[in-house]
Amino acid sequence: MVTTQEFQRKYERLSDRSVTPSPESDIDADCLMAFGYEYQGQDSEVEIDTDEFTAVCPWTCLPDFGVLRVSYVPDRLCIELKSLKYYLLSYTGVGIVQEHAANRILNDLVAACRPNRMTVSLDYKVRGGIHTTVTVRHEQDAA
């Protein structure tokens, strides 16, 4: 059986471990695809969610897990879901703060499908006793 002192020494050595997060440049927005929407002008709302979003804190390298919700009204294009899955997988291991992740996802999805409006919400699991939800919105300019 391990003594308390031996356990303490092993525990303190955990701080010596070095984990390097992947850079934001590893996020693969190029894999996002969109297909033509045949009902332009209708105010149809598309809702997508997944409870499998993950990235890492850029400072601690600890994982952040969250529920991602995307809601949008298409204009001419819809997001292709398999490409969205691969896009979201590219966040795994990437060091990005929670607030930036939500904004980056919104910007990449808007660039991919140019919706009339879109809302992205990242509802993170509690970490260190703190719960965070980040919600960002885009509305197409009325031209």
Side-chain angles (χ1 to χ4, degrees):
M1 183 140 156
V2 177
T3 67
T4 302
Q5 290 83 5
E6 290 171 324
F7 185 83
Q8 180 68 31
R9 280 191 296 278
K10 286 180 91 173
Y11 184 80
E12 287 171 358
R13 279 186 265 148
L14 289 175
S15 298
D16 296 337
R17 293 179 180 256
S18 176
V19 178
T20 304
S22 300
E24 283 187 48
S25 59
D26 282 3
I27 297 169
D28 186 11
D30 290 337
C31 75
L32 286 169
M33 298 188 316
F35 60 89
Y37 180 57
E38 297 177 5
Y39 297 93
Q40 184 181 2
Q42 288 189 347
D43 207 23
S44 301
E45 188 150 357
V46 178
E47 295 184 7
I48 303 165
D49 66 81
T50 179
D51 61 356
E52 297 179 351
F53 179 80
T54 184
V56 297
C57 172
W59 302 294
T60 65
C61 298
L62 294 174
D64 285 323
F65 299 99
V67 175
L68 172 69
R69 291 180 185 85
V70 177
S71 176
Y72 72 102
V73 175
D75 182 21
R76 296 184 172 157
L77 298 170
C78 292
I79 299 166
E80 196 283 321
L81 295 179
K82 184 175 182 180
S83 73
L84 177 62
K85 290 175 193 177
Y86 283 108
Y87 167 73
L88 295 175
L89 278 173
S90 73
Y91 278 82
T92 305
V94 170
I96 186 168
V97 296
Q98 297 172 347
E99 296 81 359
H100 294 181
N103 279 281
R104 171 70 190 263
I105 291 168
L106 177 70
N107 291 344
D108 289 345
L109 295 181
V110 166
C113 71
R114 303 282 182 218
N116 288 325
R117 64 181 175 270
M118 179 178 281
T119 301
V120 170
S121 178
L122 267 171
D123 184 359
Y124 287 94
K125 305 287 184 203
V126 173
R127 189 164 60 118
I130 296 176
H131 174 249
T132 305
T133 301
V134 181
T135 302
V136 292
R137 292 176 184 82
H138 162 81
E139 186 126 359
Q140 191 177 70
D141 294 329

